[in-house]
Amino acid sequence: MTDQATPQAEAGSSVKTYLAKHMREYGLLFALIAIMGFFQIMTDGTLLRPINITNLFLQNSYIIIMALGMLIVIVSGHIDLSVGSVMGFVGALAAVLIVNFELSVWVTVPICLVTGGLIGAAQGYWVAFWKIPSFIVTLAGMLVFRGMSLWLLEGQSVGPFPKEFQIISTGFIPDVFGIGRPNGTALAAGAMAVGAIIWLGLRGRMRNRQYGIEDEPMLFFIIRNAIVTGALMFVAYKLSTFRGLPNVLISMALLTVFYAFVTENTVTGRRIYALGGNEKAAKLSGTKTERLTFLAFVNMGVLAALAGLIFAARLNTATPKAGFAVELDVIAAVFIGGASMSGGSGKIIGAVVGAFIMGVLNNGMSIMGIGIDYQQIIKGLVLLAAVIFDVYNKSKQS
């Protein structure tokens, strides 16, 4: 009896240990489900209607895109407070070039993305090579580009945009199967995503077993993938009954996959985490820390520019107040998603889930008619709870 009980006890202990180490990841998933369930009930089913799910993606696309870049900046041990202002400035630049100067969309978009990269390079230069704290540099950038937006637009809104620019945000992928409703392309894309997730998960388990790395217990693996794949197919079906896949959803998905691959499966990704964990040790090991920091800010500038184009296309106009306080939602999404305040830890998927949590909170509270004052209070408390949970988990593990 004792010999049989020992393996069971060891298995139970290993499951508890694994769960304790990955509590934040599982907690995030269940928190998102719980929040969506709550608002689904409180809004009498409005939250998960096809049109509202589509609006959730359209409304939060620019937050999610910037959260990808912000995660890399925060993981590397820095922060960028200027992203909202850069987003607004690039949207204003696009409006002036397209509406006032009548430049082609195909010329304007590359100009705006390069401008975002140059802004990120300018800020990254002072942070990386002059060692000026990123908080100060990007706070200055926030003020500078907010003022430049006002100057560029002369205090007025500029628009509307041509249709070829609007489809960046409000366009939909046509149904290649010609079914109509439900949209066959949306269902096929959902099925392909499910297949890819399961295949990558099984492949990762095989690789971990081959190298003797501690792996997720099979029961957890099955439950987590069942929840994720079920949610994906549910969303795909809901979208298929409306207008199909939004263009911006495809952009978000491709960017998420790309950045997840870079951060988790490349040497550059591992060096970024090493940089945030201990910059001196990373430098002594041969990592070019200044160049990595510089590139992190360049990348953030390009993504902020892309977000600015998407935001302007969605509103069909550029306004002087565009991007105001957006940086707070982006930073909150990354911290809620599990990134550490001290750098060195955090995942792309966590940042995306954190952004969706913020988006569902905003959307659900708006549908319920909760005032903006209470919305800000609740979001602030959610962010504080996420940070406290992170600190508590670290104190338990140490």
Side-chain angles (χ1 to χ4, degrees), residues 286-320:
T287 299
K288 296 179 180 179
T289 55
E290 289 86 0
R291 187 175 70 176
L292 271 182
T293 300
F294 177 76
L295 291 176
F297 279 92
V298 172
N299 175 71
M300 184 71 257
V302 172
L303 290 179
L306 177 59
L309 294 172
I310 289 172
F311 186 77
R314 180 172 171 269
L315 290 184
N316 198 23
T317 186
T319 65

Side-chain angles (χ1 to χ4, degrees), residues 88-352:
F89 171 71
V90 170
L93 177 62
V96 169
L97 292 176
I98 293 174
V99 178
N100 293 354
F101 292 98
E102 299 183 349
L103 280 185
S104 163
V105 171
W106 302 106
V107 174
T108 299
V109 169
I111 289 174
C112 289
L113 293 177
V114 170
T115 299
L118 292 173
I119 291 170
Q123 297 189 131
Y125 170 76
W126 296 110
V127 175
F129 299 106
W130 285 74
K131 305 301 180 186
I132 300 175
S134 57
F135 182 90
I136 301 299
V137 173
T138 58
L139 179 61
M142 179 175 72
L143 299 173
V144 167
F145 294 108
R146 176 64 56 208
M148 288 186 70
S149 296
L150 289 167
W151 166 75
L152 199 58
L153 296 175
E154 298 179 348
Q156 299 178 344
S157 297
V158 175
F161 291 105
K163 286 185 178 180
E164 56 264 32
F165 184 77
Q166 293 179 47
I167 62 172
I168 293 174
S169 179
T170 57
F172 290 81
I173 302 295
D175 187 1
V176 296
F177 299 101
I179 299 172
R181 290 191 184 181
N183 186 290
T185 302
L187 292 175
M192 289 171 62
V194 165
I197 287 171
I198 293 173
W199 179 73
L200 289 171
L202 292 172
R203 184 184 172 195
R205 288 183 68 84
M206 290 176 64
R207 186 175 63 245
N208 289 345
R209 191 174 301 171
Q210 185 179 358
Y211 290 104
I213 300 172
E214 180 190 16
D215 209 350
E216 182 180 30
M218 180 55 80
L219 179 62
F220 288 5
F221 176 80
I222 293 171
I223 293 173
R224 179 173 60 81
N225 278 279
I227 292 172
V228 171
T229 55
L232 276 174
M233 287 310 299
F234 174 79
V235 169
Y237 173 73
K238 287 288 186 177
L239 292 175
S240 74
T241 61
F242 183 51
R243 296 179 63 186
L245 295 173
N247 289 340
V248 75
L249 176 58
I250 302 300
S251 302
M252 285 190 302
L254 292 175
L255 285 170
T256 300
V257 170
F258 172 75
Y259 281 98
F261 175 80
V262 169
T263 54
E264 295 177 19
N265 297 282
T266 66
V267 174
T268 300
R270 288 191 287 272
R271 286 176 176 172
I272 289 171
Y273 283 92
L275 167 63
N278 190 325
E279 184 176 357
K280 289 183 179 178
K283 193 164 188 176
L284 289 171
S285 68
T287 299
K288 296 179 180 179
T289 55
E290 289 86 0
R291 187 175 70 176
L292 271 182
T293 300
F294 177 76
L295 291 176
F297 279 92
V298 172
N299 175 71
M300 184 71 257
V302 172
L303 290 179
L306 177 59
L309 294 172
I310 289 172
F311 186 77
R314 180 172 171 269
L315 290 184
N316 198 23
T317 186
T319 65
K321 290 186 177 180
F324 181 75
V326 166
E327 60 275 352
L328 302 181
D329 278 349
V330 175
I331 294 168
V334 174
F335 282 133
I336 289 171
S340 171
M341 296 169 291
S342 55
S345 67
K347 288 190 174 182
I348 289 293
I349 298 300
V352 172

Side-chain angles (χ1 to χ4, degrees), residues 40-118:
Q40 175 71 356
I41 294 169
M42 297 303 294
T43 60
D44 296 324
T46 301
L47 183 77
L48 295 180
R49 287 179 183 170
I51 187 171
N52 196 59
I53 292 176
T54 302
N55 285 334
L56 267 173
F57 287 121
L58 298 181
Q59 290 167 3
N60 295 286
S61 56
Y62 59 94
I63 298 289
I64 293 169
I65 287 170
M66 287 195 289
L68 300 175
M70 186 64 74
L71 176 79
I72 291 176
V73 170
I74 289 174
V75 163
S76 65
H78 300 283
I79 199 163
D80 191 341
L81 300 177
S82 69
V83 292
S85 297
V86 173
M87 184 189 96
F89 171 71
V90 170
L93 177 62
V96 169
L97 292 176
I98 293 174
V99 178
N100 293 354
F101 292 98
E102 299 183 349
L103 280 185
S104 163
V105 171
W106 302 106
V107 174
T108 299
V109 169
I111 289 174
C112 289
L113 293 177
V114 170
T115 299
L118 292 173

